[in-house]
Amino acid sequence: GHGDRPAGDGGDRRLMGVRAWAALISLALLAAPGIVALAPAQPKEVVFLGFGGTHEKNLREHAIPAFEKQSGIKVIYVAGTMAANFARAQAQKGRPDADVLWNNDLIHIIGKKMGLYETLDPGRVGNLRDVHDVAKDKDGVGVMQGFQAEGVQYSTRVFRDKGWAAPTSWYDLWKPEFKGRVGLYAGTNAYTQYFIPLLARIEGGSERSTDGAFKRLRELGPSAPTFPASPAELDNLFKQGEVWIGTNGSTRVYELQAAGFATEFAYPKEGAILFANWFDVLKGAPHPELAQELVNFLLGPEAQEAFAKYVFFAPVNRQTKLDPETARKVPSQEQLGKMIKLDFEAINENVAAWTERFNKEVERR
């Protein structure tokens, strides 16, 4: 009997040794970096810096749910002004906390020059195959989300009451019957910053030679009752009957029309301006592959149809199908061919000087 006890103790000790080793091995496995199966999977997400207003509503209601369902990737939508979103991307250069920036032609060029954006990977962004050439960046950095036209907006009620024909030219803005009733944005607004070089071109100058445009704008200045900084302010001037005709983007006009206001958009015979929004993947983005997947989805026919239907941006994807009513409100292929594409490199170099000059000479402040 006594001879069994030490053996029994030794057996317990050996068993404990095996248990201890098993525990140590499982701890080591948990701590080993390459063993992901034991750690809970991180939810996949992508951070998108976007616009507010109807653009945000459209994405949140239509494109984002479809993308999340299809991909299993969560979209964190950060709504802000373009200036605020760009300032954020600039401040975090190379180590942003966001993945994709939505911007316009000018911010696209400025950020590209600063090296803030990543090249798109055609392998991940397969929809680039169906994107119009005009909507592609020549260096493959970013891509247009869609485009609108900048042209002439007018109040169909006033024109009908006065028996006037619809405007056909940029020069209609200077007609004496519109004195004091012309809608012209402030020099800080992108629509005016695009109108200046357009006017320079049709006056025989260019983006780098704008004296002719400013001569014309000085004549037009007194016809504007005020210089609204935002599209919402210009909308109100039209609604209140303060302005009857003005420069504006086609998307703004059709949004106002959709809200029940009697207004229409005219493509000037000298050429409307091609005004685009862009998607740029931020360099050093926390989720680079997912960012490219999101851009790819937003370029697809489903998302492109929603941009046309709900915010009146013409699709960049050739495969997009539109109903006739939507098609009427976005620039057609034929109109796209006639639109004027500005030189944004040159605009970037001159826009600060133009804004100052517009303040002094046109707004007289």
Side-chain angles (χ1 to χ4, degrees):
H2 294 294
D4 294 340
R5 192 169 297 219
D9 284 352
D12 288 345
R13 272 202 294 276
R14 273 197 303 277
L15 194 57
M16 278 178 68
V18 171
R19 283 199 189 117
W21 272 110
L24 276 171
I25 287 165
S26 59
L27 274 172
L29 281 172
L30 277 172
I35 313 291
V36 286
L38 297 169
Q42 285 297 306
K44 295 199 291 182
E45 62 177 45
V46 60
V47 182
F48 183 87
L49 301 180
F51 310 130
T54 49
H55 269 301
E56 179 183 5
K57 186 175 187 289
N58 170 45
L59 272 199
R60 283 191 187 279
E61 289 179 8
H62 302 104
I64 289 174
F67 173 71
E68 289 180 335
K69 190 175 171 197
Q70 184 187 307
S71 67
I73 299 165
K74 174 111 186 81
V75 178
I76 312 294
Y77 192 106
V78 182
T81 64
M82 196 159 14
N85 286 343
F86 182 62
R88 173 176 174 163
Q90 230 178 311
Q92 299 174 348
K93 182 181 177 176
R95 41 170 190 81
D97 60 9
D99 298 291
V100 181
L101 177 70
W102 201 0
N103 54 36
N104 68 14
D105 304 271
L106 200 49
I107 299 289
H108 168 69
I109 285 288
I110 295 169
K112 185 181 164 183
K113 274 188 139 41
M114 290 178 174
L116 295 183
Y117 312 140
E118 193 53 81
T119 310
L120 293 179
D121 170 4
R124 284 191 184 273
V125 191
N127 282 322
L128 280 170
R129 282 189 306 269
D130 295 321
V131 167
H132 292 296
D133 287 342
V134 73
K136 294 177 186 174
D137 177 274
K138 66 180 193 311
D139 304 306
V141 175
V143 61
M144 282 184 190
Q145 157 251 313
F147 44 84
Q148 60 170 319
E150 182 177 347
V152 176
Q153 175 178 6
Y154 63 104
S155 165
T156 47
R157 185 181 53 79
V158 170
F159 272 63
R160 191 186 58 238
D161 291 351
K162 305 259 186 194
W164 292 332
T168 57
S169 162
W170 289 106
Y171 291 110
D172 285 348
L173 299 168
W174 280 262
K175 283 185 172 176
E177 56 265 40
F178 304 137
K179 195 110 178 130
R181 301 290 185 178
V182 175
L184 205 54
Y185 283 110
T188 50
N189 186 284
Y191 288 122
T192 286
Q193 293 171 350
Y194 288 29
F195 184 47
I196 292 166
L198 174 281
L199 194 52
R201 282 191 181 200
I202 61 179
E203 283 289 315
S206 71
E207 282 82 344
R208 290 189 166 86
S209 162
T210 54
D211 285 349
F214 278 100
K215 178 179 179 290
R216 280 298 206 159
L217 287 166
R218 284 195 299 274
E219 295 165 10
L220 189 60
S223 288
T226 173
F227 298 89
S230 76
E233 290 172 60
L234 184 60
D235 287 351
N236 284 332
L237 292 172
F238 267 104
K239 284 177 184 168
Q240 291 154 7
E242 291 289 311
V243 303
W244 301 340
I245 190 171
T247 61
N248 215 348
S250 55
T251 62
R252 299 301 314 177
V253 178
Y254 290 114
E255 276 192 28
L256 200 55
Q257 200 183 77
F261 186 73
T263 189
E264 192 49 84
F265 181 81
Y267 286 84
K269 59 175 186 248
E270 301 83 3
I273 305 166
L274 181 68
F275 190 117
N277 285 339
W278 289 72
F279 293 130
D280 280 300
V281 171
L282 295 171
K283 195 168 269 184
H287 315 101
E289 287 91 1
L290 306 187
Q292 302 253 357
E293 283 184 41
L294 176 61
V295 170
N296 184 52
F297 182 85
L298 294 173
L299 293 177
E302 183 183 357
Q304 288 289 309
E305 185 197 1
F307 283 124
K309 198 167 180 174
Y310 303 106
V311 287
F312 311 112
F313 267 78
V316 295
N317 187 316
R318 284 187 289 267
Q319 306 302 326
T320 316
K321 303 275 185 283
L322 301 179
D323 63 87
E325 184 54 20
T326 300
R328 186 184 74 77
K329 295 173 181 173
V330 300
S332 66
Q333 283 313 294
E334 191 196 347
Q335 283 156 341
L336 178 60
K338 295 179 190 160
M339 282 158 72
I340 294 170
K341 197 175 182 200
L342 299 169
D343 175 355
F344 289 97
E345 299 269 351
I347 292 175
N348 180 31
E349 291 163 27
N350 295 289
V351 72
W354 293 343
T355 303
E356 202 176 312
R357 198 172 170 185
F358 193 90
N359 290 346
K360 283 201 189 105
E361 298 180 22
V362 186
E363 294 190 44
R364 312 254 166 111
R365 60 184 175 86

